[in-house]
């Protein structure tokens, strides 16, 4: 048995929300969280269920300031055993606007310097190596704790030459798709990842490519835009993260997807009322899934 098999996410959580979502046939496409502006701060202490309610005023204050800039705060930490840090802390800032993503990195000396953090990409060092942020927010959801931590540890252990390429992170949204992750710098979100696919996702992100397997969509798109984008990628095999532009869409109906090479497709989205019920989180009541599903994209003039 390989190390990846030994740490495969999901062992022992067969009755959690992630297993129930899979059993219900809930699709991944169109489920990515809305995170167009993102700030991820290294934090080695305990994470409360909601970052915005963190007992450390430096953290909760930063979350409030970022909300005023329409940015989301994530807390991040290295996989594995928690060790008290004595050096600086990493800060990753990402503008994940589709077709124009930009990710930079800077450092602060510690929690006291968080007051200086704003959503300002100027002055940061461009992130050139791919990053995978894996949700491992145990106090938010059991599936994220068990599946997410196992995935992050497996990916980190499988690629010791790139130890900085994976972080555990706080809540991304979509516990029921655990283990979930965001790939940077492309800005695509993924769910139900196994270690081998996660490694491929991270490698692809470094090449500016999208892996459609396990993909939830781009975090800068609406759910409808995500589903249409992925439908065209599945049909054409296009992997370049910037190859497609999606016209604004929010709900069922026809969506126009434009290739940068001049091609056009129409994708018809509908609500699948036949999908099974599932909880949105561990311990929650069952609710109908009602996902948006994409028909086969049609070429357009």
């Amino acid at each position: 048995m390989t190390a990846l098999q030994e740490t495969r996410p999901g062992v022992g959580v067969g009755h959690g929300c992630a297993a129930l979502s899979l059993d219900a046939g809930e699709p991944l496409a169109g489920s990515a969280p809305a995170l167009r502006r993102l700030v991820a701060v290294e934090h080695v202490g305990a994470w409360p269920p909601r970052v915005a309610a963190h007992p450390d005023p430096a953290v909760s204050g930063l979350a409030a300031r970022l909300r005023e800039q329409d940015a989301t705060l994530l807390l991040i930490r290295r996989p594995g055993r928690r060790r008290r840090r004595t050096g600086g802390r990493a800060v990753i800032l990402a503008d994940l606007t589709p077709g124009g993503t930009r990710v930079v990195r800077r450092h602060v000396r510690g929690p006291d310097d968080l007051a200086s953090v704003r959503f300002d990409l100027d002055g940061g060092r461009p992130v050139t190596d791919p990053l995978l942020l894996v949700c491992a927010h145990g106090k938010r959801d059991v599936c994220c704790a068990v599946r997410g931590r196992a995935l992050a540890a497996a990916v980190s252990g499988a690629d010791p030459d790139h130890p900085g390429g994976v972080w555990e992170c706080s809540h991304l949204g979509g516990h029921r798709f655990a283990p979930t992750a965001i790939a940077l710098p492309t800005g695509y979100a993924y769910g139900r990842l196994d270690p081998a696919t996660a490694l491929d996702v991270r490698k692809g992100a470094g090449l500016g490519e999208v892996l459609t397997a396990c993909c939830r969509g781009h975090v800068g798109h609406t759910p409808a835009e995500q589903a249409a984008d992925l439908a065209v990628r599945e049909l054409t095999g296009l992997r370049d993260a910037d190859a497609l532009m999606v016209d604004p869409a929010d709900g069922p109906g026809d969506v126009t997807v434009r290739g940068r090479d001049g091609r056009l497709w129409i994708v018809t989205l509908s609500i699948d009322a036949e999908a099974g019920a599932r909880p949105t989180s561990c311990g929650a009541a069952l609710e109908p899934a009602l996902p948006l599903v994409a028909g086969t994209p049609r070429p357009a003039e």
Side-chain angles (χ1 to χ4, degrees):
M1 181 178 290
T2 68
L4 292 185
Q5 289 171 325
E6 289 173 356
T7 53
R8 183 177 178 87
V11 175
V13 289
H15 300 291
C17 63
L20 294 173
S21 172
L22 182 62
D23 289 345
E26 186 174 14
L28 289 168
S31 69
L35 291 173
R36 185 166 288 202
R37 287 182 162 192
L38 171 66
V39 177
V41 175
E42 186 175 5
H43 186 279
V44 296
W47 297 350
R50 299 185 182 278
V51 171
H54 199 287
D56 184 344
V59 177
S60 58
L62 175 58
R65 292 195 305 276
L66 291 176
R67 281 199 303 273
E68 294 175 355
Q69 294 184 283
D70 295 322
T72 299
L73 174 64
L74 293 182
L75 301 181
I76 57 175
R77 62 195 175 202
R78 291 298 185 195
R81 180 176 296 178
R82 310 287 175 255
R83 294 181 176 89
R84 185 172 296 278
R85 287 290 304 274
T86 57
R89 308 292 175 85
V91 178
I92 300 165
L93 302 99
D95 180 349
L96 300 176
T97 302
T101 62
R102 183 184 174 202
V103 183
V104 303
R105 181 171 178 160
R106 54 176 291 203
H107 282 80
V108 295
R109 288 174 298 180
D112 292 342
D113 285 347
L114 293 182
S116 67
V117 176
R118 298 286 189 278
F119 186 78
D120 182 1
L121 277 64
D122 293 336
R125 291 185 293 107
V127 171
T128 55
D129 292 331
L131 301 175
L132 196 67
L133 308 184
V134 180
C135 183
H137 200 157
K139 288 191 176 180
R140 192 69 182 261
D141 189 86
V142 173
C143 284
C144 294
V146 177
R147 295 173 183 245
R149 288 174 185 167
L151 178 70
V155 173
S156 179
D159 194 5
D161 292 335
H162 299 88
V166 60
W167 294 86
E168 294 183 358
C169 73
S170 56
H171 177 59
L172 289 179
H175 323 289
R176 62 194 183 278
F177 303 117
T180 65
I182 291 178
L184 298 177
T186 58
Y188 277 81
Y190 293 82
R192 298 176 185 150
L193 283 166
D194 60 74
T197 305
L199 286 165
D200 288 341
V201 165
R202 193 181 68 183
K203 180 180 178 180
L207 300 172
E209 296 182 348
V210 181
L211 190 73
T212 55
C214 300
C215 194
R216 300 174 63 191
H218 193 284
V219 298
H221 282 316
T222 67
E225 294 160 6
Q226 294 167 15
D229 171 65
L230 291 176
V232 173
R233 292 185 181 280
E234 287 279 6
L235 177 71
T236 62
L238 284 169
R239 294 176 65 106
D240 183 347
D242 295 329
L244 299 176
M245 298 173 289
V246 186
D247 284 5
D250 188 15
D254 288 346
V255 182
T256 300
V257 180
R258 305 173 186 273
R260 294 189 183 275
D261 59 4
R263 288 183 290 174
L264 293 176
W265 296 268
I266 302 297
V267 182
T268 300
L269 302 177
S270 59
I271 295 176
D272 180 7
E274 302 300 320
R278 81 292 180 263
T280 58
S281 186
C282 288
L286 292 177
E287 299 177 11
L290 301 177
L292 278 174
V293 294
T296 302
R298 310 185 303 276
E301 297 296 332

